[in-house]
Amino acid sequence: GVAARRRVAAVVPVNPFVLRLAGSEDGRRFAAISISREGSRTLQAWDAGTGKELPARRDAAEEEEMGMAFSPDGGLLAVIAQ
């Protein structure tokens, strides 16, 4: 059967366009790299249960991000840039 889905939190990235999105294996955290109309990129991460932003926000590199992934325990986020 299909597991029931429910909305637990809503978040809004600081920039209007999301380039990359990653979730932890346990479903407790997720992260996004977003870009502004002017081209600045920002990396943000959130707690999926509460919607609170985690202390990970930073300006992302100017390089094109190839991908990102959480470690198996969800404690680390790796971003690969070209």
Side-chain angles (χ1 to χ4, degrees), residues 15-63:
N15 296 317
F17 307 107
V18 174
L19 298 174
R20 302 282 185 266
L21 187 64
S24 63
E25 286 186 28
D26 61 8
R28 295 178 49 201
R29 295 181 179 92
F30 65 99
I33 295 175
S34 59
I35 188 169
S36 70
R37 286 179 169 68
E38 297 77 29
S40 65
R41 298 166 189 235
T42 304
L43 169 67
Q44 292 174 269
W46 296 270
D47 179 289
T50 65
K52 289 186 177 187
E53 188 173 349
L54 301 172
R57 185 189 297 194
R58 70 171 187 85
D59 293 332
E62 294 295 320
E63 296 88 11

Side-chain angles (χ1 to χ4, degrees), residues 20 63-68 79-82:
R20 302 282 185 266
E63 296 88 11
E64 179 67 25
E65 292 82 16
M66 300 289 288
M68 62 180 171
V79 179
I80 301 170
Q82 185 175 352

